[in-house]
């Protein structure tokens, strides 16, 4: 991070567009701290926001992991009561909700934030304060979901929250209310972030960075964000309908008034299936960056990988009812969704063959990131095979709601997404921190994770085919499930140790890792052309892009580096208001959850007022800014 | 530095940061509206799916009033015309006209909200409540969400109106055009709601 920035201030007379900022500076001074806690809480720097997303995601990965271990302990042997049954329901519900919304999605978001501007040759995202807003609203939603533990009413109706398990009648108390408000708030964060990255990728690209020269990770981010924009509204409306039912007595999912509980399933999966691709596409992007670097070859079939990603995104909206084959939709619907589900396997297979093609004949170096990338291909393929099995509706009817499905989506989510994202962490750790992680220890961590993961989840295929249902509290000892359940639980602890090794390696690398330099992996994309860690303005001189993998190309051809032109660089100013809006939203949501308690509506109103105040303060203070002169920076590049 | 120079600097600034030449704020608004389509799509679909499924009355055909809603729809459509005039005015840097048409747009938006309050009150007295039946649940949630969009638009427009007295609104053409995009979108959604919920209800009845 830059330390000696030349802060000119908000109202610099030398720069005309600051005049309006001075005029409306009635709302008090803007934060100017460059170091310390406040500088992080008010930051609008995409790199710092990315780091905060990443640390939050890793924290919740641990939280969700502990929840998983407790679930596994309860299931280790028949008829255990490690947890009371109602706590067990909360535990598996919060495990899934935490892992999906608070660990994997924000970990992807961390990469979006940190990498997209660097990869497209930009100095920041299109809307830096909106970016900080997304982070704060994400924190608000994460806090809402987890505060529920303290009140003894954590969400308990599973992550799909099927009606009418969530109805006031069958789920009294506040569990479902915390779930509804938490997810609503998290939805706001996701949509705001996606709008930002959509605009950033369209408009903030460096000269010459045409769409077909974008790194695949940026492409997958782009597609993911379009999916978020289009898939989150249905779940948001469904959550609002559920909220109207629970809080105001509406009848959306009230069977006694003619409501259809199946409607919830449709809304949920119209969101839920694109969500699956929201979780996996960024991982595919990460792998598409790692493989060429460590195979020392260009990505095989770049356009095919890009179009396959787009096609997966498109088809992702056409397969949702394969989650509902057992609901009796009728032959035509079942057939249609069987066919679309089979079709969506094709672009996925195309990608896998392209990744293999990338490695084929390459000078492969099995550094830690490459291990994760190849591990991803193998594990994701297994998850893909068990996934496409579900497109056969008759077979799916047997597998539905069994541990076979649990095995399938953990192979995709851990063996796929998490494996790739851990690889991404290992790959970009030197860029983010300026230091290397230990390779030997990294490999130990990888193999521990790999073995632990397979020992945990492969037996679940067998358990599922032997009829063990999902979400059951315990089971009888004569079902033939005892042995494999014990194996799964042992595997879960091995996996946990593997992740612990990974985290220890990160901490050690941060403290005393070897200095990385700009380009430790001999990589291909623009982020490796600048110092590690990058200065706050990223690029002293904005590069002009002429090729796919432009940095790689310039290393080979000796294309001269862009030269800094001497103009001070305009940076967006930090702001308090994203934090104000985020806190306002948290208070509002808490007030809504407790609206029937004395003062509940008052609290909600106060939160709404804080939110409105924050929005106006935000609008009136303007983007602001200050100027940095890279030639005065210590360690100036170029 | 004069206003013209400032504007030129800003414009230069924009072009520098937009690969496509389209201002960021407009791309943002278009993307948001795409997302908002899905919001209203879900709400309107729910209404259609639950149409005719209410177990007890009052039913829509008994309470919906085409004459009243035609009047309120006309008001909302006129506000879109005023919005277009406001955007045209701000693009010519005509502050007086901008201010006038922004005020007119917001005012007509308020009249629409008045109609909606009247309709809600009237329906409530005739027994349509959120809790009564599926029609009540779906109708109030859908039109309420639309009304909330209009209310946010009105607040936004009045904020521009007040701003025009303190800041230089002629600099804000892109921002006001974004507000305009939002406003037109909310109107278009209303046309869909008016057609699907109000008019189609009376097809074949001759009401």
């Amino acid at each position: 991070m830059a330390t000696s920035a030349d802060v000119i201030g908000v109202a610099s007379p030398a720069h005309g567009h600051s005049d309006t900022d001075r005029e409306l500076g009635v709302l008090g001074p803007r934060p100017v701290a460059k170091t310390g806690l406040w500088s992080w809480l008010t930051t609008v720097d995409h790199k710092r926001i990315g780091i905060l997303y990443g640390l939050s995601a890793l924290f919740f990965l641990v939280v969700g992991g502990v929840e998983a271990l407790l679930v596994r302990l309860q299931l280790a042997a028949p008829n255990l009561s490690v947890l009371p049954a109602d706590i067990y329901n909360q535990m598996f519900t919060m495990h899934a909700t935490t892992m999906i919304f608070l660990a994997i999605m924000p970990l992807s978001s961390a990469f979006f934030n940190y990498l997209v501007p660097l990869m497209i040759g930009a100095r920041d995202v299109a809307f830096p304060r909106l970016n900080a807003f997304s982070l704060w609203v994400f924190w608000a939603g994460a806090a809402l979901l987890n505060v529920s533990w303290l009140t003894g009413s954590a969400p308990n109706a599973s992550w799909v929250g099927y009606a009418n398990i969530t109805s006031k009648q069958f789920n009294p108390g506040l569990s479902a209310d915390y779930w509804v408000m938490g997810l609503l708030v998290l939805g706001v964060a996701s949509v705001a972030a996606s709008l930002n990255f959509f605009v950033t990728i369209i408009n903030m690209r460096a000269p010459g960075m045409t769409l077909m020269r974008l790194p695949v990770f940026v492409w997958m981010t782009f597609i993911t964000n379009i999916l978020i924009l289009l898939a989150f509204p249905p779940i948001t409306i469904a959550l609002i309908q559920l909220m109207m039912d629970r809080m105001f007595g509406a009848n959306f999912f009230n069977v006694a008034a003619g409501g259809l509980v199946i409607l919830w399933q449709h809304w949920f999966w119209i969101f839920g299936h694109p969500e699956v691709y929201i979780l996996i596409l960024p991982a595919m992007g990460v792998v598409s960056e790692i493989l060429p670097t460590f195979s020392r070859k260009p990505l095989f079939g770049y356009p095919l990988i890009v179009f396959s990603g787009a096609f997966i995104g498109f088809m992702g909206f056409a397969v949702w009812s394969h989650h509902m084959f057992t609901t009796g939709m009728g032959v035509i619907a079942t057939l249609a969704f069987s066919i679309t589900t089979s079709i969506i396997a094709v672009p996925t297979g195309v990608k896998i063959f392209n990744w293999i093609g990338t490695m084929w004949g390459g000078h492969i170096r099995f550094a830690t990131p490459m291990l994760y990338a190849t591990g991803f291909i193998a594990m994701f393929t297994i998850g893909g095979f068990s996934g496409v099995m579900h497109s056969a509706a008759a077979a799916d009817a047997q597998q539905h709601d069994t541990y076979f499905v649990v095995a399938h989506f953990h192979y995709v989510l851990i063996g796929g997404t998490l494996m790739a994202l851990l690889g991404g962490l290992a790959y970009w750790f030197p860029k983010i921190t300026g230091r290397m992680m230990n390779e030997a220890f990294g490999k130990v961590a990888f193999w521990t994770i790999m073995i632990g993961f397979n020992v945990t989840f492969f037996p679940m295929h067998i358990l599922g085919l032997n009829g063990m249902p999902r979400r059951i509290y315990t089971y009888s000892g004569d079902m033939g499930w005892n042995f494999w359940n014990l194996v799964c639980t042992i595997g879960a602890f091995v996996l946990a140790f593997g992740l612990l090794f990974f985290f220890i390696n990160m901490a050690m690398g941060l403290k005393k890792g070897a200095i990385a330099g700009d380009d430790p992996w001999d990589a291909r994309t623009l982020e490796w052309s600048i110092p590690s860690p990058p200065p706050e303005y990223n690029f002293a001189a904005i590069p002009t892009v002429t090729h796919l993998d432009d940095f790689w190309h310039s290393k080979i051809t000796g294309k001269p580096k862009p030269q800094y032109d001497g103009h001070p660089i305009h940076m967006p100013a930090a702001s308090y208001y994203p934090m104000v809006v985020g806190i306002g939203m948290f208070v509002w949501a808490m007030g809504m959850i407790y609206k029937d308690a004395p003062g509940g509506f008052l609290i909600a109103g106060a939160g709404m007022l804080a939110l409105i105040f924050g929005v106006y303060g935000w609008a009136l203070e303007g983007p602001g800014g200050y100027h940095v002169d890279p030639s005065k920076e210590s360690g100036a590049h170029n | 530095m004069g206003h013209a120079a400032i504007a030129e600097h800003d414009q230069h600034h924009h072009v520098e940061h937009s690969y496509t030449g389209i201002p960021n704020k407009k791309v943002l608004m278009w993307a948001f509206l795409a997302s908002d389509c899905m919001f209203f799509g879900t709400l309107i679909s729910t209404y259609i799916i639950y149409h005719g499924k209410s177990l007890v009355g009052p039913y829509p055909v008994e309470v919906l009033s085409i004459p009243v809603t035609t009047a309120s729809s006309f008001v909302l459509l006129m506000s879109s015309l005023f919005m277009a005039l406001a955007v045209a005015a701000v693009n010519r840097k005509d502050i007086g006209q901008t201010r006038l048409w922004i005020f007119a747009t917001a005012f007509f938006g308020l009249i629409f909200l008045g109609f909606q309050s009247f309709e809600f009150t009237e329906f409530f007295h005739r027994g349509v409540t959120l809790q009564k039946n599926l029609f009540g649940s779906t109708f109030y949630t859908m039109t309420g969400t639309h009304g909330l969009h209009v209310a946010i638009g009105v607040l936004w427009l009045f904020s521009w109106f007040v701003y025009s007295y303190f800041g230089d609104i002629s600099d804000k053409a892109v921002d006001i055009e974004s507000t305009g995009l939002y406003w037109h979108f909310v109107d278009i959604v209303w046309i869909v709601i008016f057609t699907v919920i109000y008019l189609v209800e009376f097809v074949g009845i001759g009401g």
Side-chain angles (χ1 to χ4, degrees):
Chain A
M1 300 293 145
T3 48
S4 63
D6 174 15
V7 180
I8 296 177
V10 179
S12 158
H15 291 272
H17 68 284
S18 302
D19 282 10
T20 40
D21 304 332
R22 180 172 53 193
E23 189 180 326
L24 297 163
V26 288
L27 289 157
R30 298 182 78 125
V32 289
K34 306 296 286 179
T35 53
L37 183 64
W38 275 106
S39 74
W40 283 86
L41 297 182
T42 59
T43 187
V44 295
D45 180 340
H46 71 97
K47 297 180 290 299
R48 285 185 160 204
I49 290 172
I51 290 169
L52 290 173
Y53 262 115
L55 292 176
S56 311
L58 294 179
F59 171 76
F60 283 112
L61 187 67
V62 173
V63 172
V66 170
E67 286 159 0
L69 291 179
L70 288 169
V71 167
R72 273 324 313 170
L73 279 178
Q74 166 63 28
L75 294 175
N79 298 316
L80 291 181
S81 47
V82 176
L83 303 168
D86 59 329
I87 298 289
Y88 178 80
N89 287 347
Q90 299 177 21
M91 204 58 76
F92 76 70
T93 301
M94 282 303 285
H95 161 66
T97 308
T98 301
M99 285 306 196
I100 290 166
F101 294 103
L102 309 182
I104 300 292
M105 279 183 79
L107 195 53
S108 296
S109 239
F111 286 110
F112 299 167
N113 268 283
Y114 202 95
L115 293 173
V116 166
L118 298 181
M119 284 183 160
I120 63 175
R123 294 211 167 108
D124 209 317
V125 293
F127 299 97
R129 288 180 300 163
L130 187 64
N131 208 15
F133 165 83
S134 302
L135 175 68
W136 277 97
V137 176
F138 159 65
W139 278 342
L144 278 169
L145 282 173
N146 282 286
V147 160
S148 64
W149 283 115
L150 305 177
T151 67
S153 48
N156 58 1
S158 96
W159 91 281
V160 296
Y162 275 4
N164 45 16
I165 304 170
T166 49
S167 69
K168 203 79 184 166
Q169 185 187 354
F170 299 115
N171 204 336
L174 298 173
S175 292
D177 299 306
Y178 271 107
W179 187 72
V180 166
M181 297 313 286
L183 290 194
L184 273 179
V185 169
L186 286 171
V188 172
S190 295
V191 169
S194 295
L195 288 170
N196 209 345
F197 283 97
F198 181 83
V199 181
T200 302
I201 294 170
I202 286 192
N203 257 1
M204 305 294 281
R205 284 171 280 145
M209 182 60 90
T210 59
L211 288 176
M212 292 315 277
R213 287 178 193 155
L214 284 177
V216 172
F217 178 75
V218 178
W219 257 113
M220 293 306 122
T221 305
F222 189 59
I223 295 163
T224 303
N225 286 314
I226 293 171
L227 291 185
I228 291 175
L229 287 179
L230 299 179
F232 267 72
I235 189 68
T236 303
I237 294 300
L239 288 165
I240 287 172
Q241 291 171 344
L242 179 58
M243 180 185 84
M244 297 302 269
D245 274 10
R246 287 186 61 88
M247 295 188 181
F248 304 102
N251 299 308
F252 286 104
F253 307 112
N254 177 10
V255 179
L260 303 168
V261 289
I262 194 83
L263 184 64
W264 171 271
Q265 291 197 28
H266 280 292
W267 289 153
F268 184 85
W269 289 114
I270 286 175
F271 149 77
H273 204 83
E275 171 70 14
V276 170
Y277 297 105
I278 290 166
L279 296 168
I280 196 69
L281 285 173
M284 291 177 165
V286 167
V287 167
S288 303
E289 298 304 327
I290 295 175
L291 287 172
T293 297
F294 293 96
S295 305
R296 302 179 63 80
K297 267 181 68 190
L299 189 67
F300 184 82
Y302 168 92
L304 215 52
I305 287 199
V306 169
F307 291 134
S308 294
F311 187 60
I312 289 173
F314 182 77
M315 288 300 292
F317 283 97
V319 296
W320 80 85
S321 282
H322 69 211
H323 296 272
M324 301 164 60
F325 279 151
T326 56
T327 58
M329 293 182 296
V331 175
I332 300 295
T334 301
L335 193 62
F337 283 100
S338 280
I339 292 169
T340 53
T341 305
S342 309
I343 290 173
I344 205 166
V346 175
T348 315
V350 166
K351 283 193 167 210
I352 288 172
F353 281 112
N354 276 297
W355 290 323
I356 294 171
T358 303
M359 290 191 289
W360 195 271
H363 280 279
I364 299 177
R365 286 173 292 163
F366 275 107
T368 315
M370 187 62 171
L371 287 175
Y372 282 102
T374 43
F376 165 92
I377 296 176
M379 295 302 105
F380 180 74
T381 303
I382 297 177
F385 280 146
S386 57
V388 81
M389 282 170 74
H390 296 136
S391 69
D396 178 79
Q398 296 301 310
Q399 294 145 9
H400 187 85
D401 261 352
T402 69
Y403 262 82
F404 189 85
V405 177
V406 178
H408 156 66
F409 66 71
H410 281 93
Y411 264 84
V412 186
L413 279 178
I414 301 182
T417 305
L418 188 64
M419 196 70 83
L421 294 182
L422 290 176
L425 279 177
Y427 183 53
W428 282 293
F429 185 87
K431 180 51 59 186
I432 296 167
T433 64
R435 289 175 183 275
M436 306 296 290
M437 272 164 49
N438 183 291
E439 273 294 310
F441 195 27
K443 282 171 184 158
V444 171
F446 168 79
W447 285 110
T448 316
I449 289 171
M450 189 71 166
I451 292 166
F453 163 72
N454 279 292
V455 171
T456 312
F457 293 102
F458 199 83
M460 288 188 188
H461 291 113
I462 301 163
L463 284 170
L465 292 177
N466 283 339
M468 181 170 166
R470 289 169 76 173
R471 304 190 182 104
I472 51 167
Y473 172 55
T474 189
Y475 49 92
S476 149
D478 55 10
M479 300 298 288
W481 302 335
N482 303 5
F483 174 72
W484 289 119
N485 267 302
L486 183 61
V487 172
C488 289
T489 302
I490 293 168
F493 279 89
V494 177
L495 177 57
F497 271 104
L499 285 167
L500 185 65
F501 294 163
F502 190 96
F503 296 147
I504 292 172
N505 199 14
M506 278 177 79
M508 279 173 27
L510 194 61
K511 269 211 174 309
K512 46 189 178 188
I515 299 297
D518 295 2
D519 182 22
W521 308 119
D522 193 12
R524 318 178 69 84
T525 39
L526 286 177
E527 74 272 25
W528 302 103
S529 69
I530 55 175
S532 311
E536 63 170 328
Y537 47 83
N538 298 349
F539 297 90
I542 298 292
T544 300
V545 177
T546 52
H547 290 81
L548 180 64
D549 289 340
D550 198 68
F551 178 55
W552 174 260
H553 187 262
S554 68
K555 281 191 287 192
I556 291 175
T557 61
K559 178 171 113 180
K561 286 198 166 192
Q563 289 303 308
Y564 173 58
D565 63 3
H567 279 86
I569 293 169
H570 179 265
M571 297 300 298
S575 174
Y576 293 111
Y577 292 108
M579 177 174 27
V580 173
V581 178
I583 292 172
M585 201 170 281
F586 175 80
V587 173
W588 166 77
M590 280 304 268
M592 289 299 288
I593 292 168
Y594 287 96
K595 77 172 181 60
D596 293 329
F601 263 130
L602 277 179
I603 293 171
M608 190 46 78
L609 280 180
L611 196 157
I612 292 170
F613 168 77
V615 168
Y616 272 91
W618 178 334
L620 290 174
E621 75 174 352
Y626 58 92
H627 292 82
V628 180
D629 185 348
S631 57
K632 292 182 191 159
E633 297 268 323
S634 53
H637 194 60
N638 289 319
Chain B
M1 199 179 267
H3 280 315
I6 295 169
E8 206 176 273
H9 179 101
D10 265 4
Q11 219 141 37
H12 177 63
H13 203 73
H14 260 308
V15 174
E16 240 178 19
H17 284 270
S18 167
Y19 189 94
T20 58
I22 307 165
N24 286 346
K25 281 175 181 164
K26 271 171 82 172
V27 181
L28 178 89
M29 185 50 79
W30 279 112
F32 170 74
L33 296 182
S35 192
D36 222 16
C37 275
M38 296 296 285
F39 276 102
F40 282 109
T42 311
L43 284 165
I44 294 170
S45 306
T46 307
Y47 184 92
I48 294 170
I49 289 164
Y50 279 159
H51 187 253
K53 295 254 183 348
S54 289
L55 300 182
V56 293
Y59 301 105
V61 72
E62 298 164 24
V63 292
L64 295 178
S65 163
I66 298 292
V68 172
T69 319
T70 305
S72 72
S73 304
F74 178 75
V75 166
L76 198 61
L77 286 182
M78 282 305 106
S79 78
S80 248
L81 173 65
F82 299 154
M83 189 70 236
L85 290 171
V87 171
V90 77
N91 277 325
R92 335 182 272 274
K93 301 195 181 297
D94 183 340
I95 294 175
Q97 291 266 309
T98 308
R99 194 179 282 154
L100 170 71
W101 293 122
I102 282 180
F103 183 83
T105 312
F107 185 67
F108 270 47
L110 267 186
I111 296 177
F112 176 83
L113 288 176
F115 269 108
Q116 196 166 36
S117 322
F118 167 77
E119 187 186 41
F120 277 26
T121 318
E122 173 74 12
F123 282 17
F124 184 77
H125 287 308
R126 294 169 73 175
V128 185
T129 61
L130 193 66
Q131 297 85 11
K132 181 77 178 184
N133 56 13
L134 286 174
F135 168 58
S137 298
T138 50
F139 178 82
Y140 284 119
T141 306
M142 175 184 57
T143 53
T145 306
H146 181 266
L148 186 67
H149 274 70
V150 176
I152 290 170
V154 166
L155 196 64
W156 198 357
L157 287 162
F158 274 127
S159 303
W160 280 129
F161 180 72
V162 173
Y163 180 90
S164 73
Y165 288 96
F166 298 96
D168 182 5
I169 202 166
S170 69
D171 247 12
K172 300 284 182 190
V174 168
D175 303 71
I176 289 174
E177 216 178 319
S178 302
T179 314
L181 285 173
Y182 173 83
W183 189 261
H184 295 315
F185 174 79
V186 172
D187 279 12
I188 291 168
V189 169
W190 181 255
I191 293 173
V192 176
I193 292 178
F194 181 57
T195 310
V196 173
I197 280 71
Y198 290 82
L199 296 181
V200 170
E201 187 66 42
F202 294 94
V203 168
I205 294 179

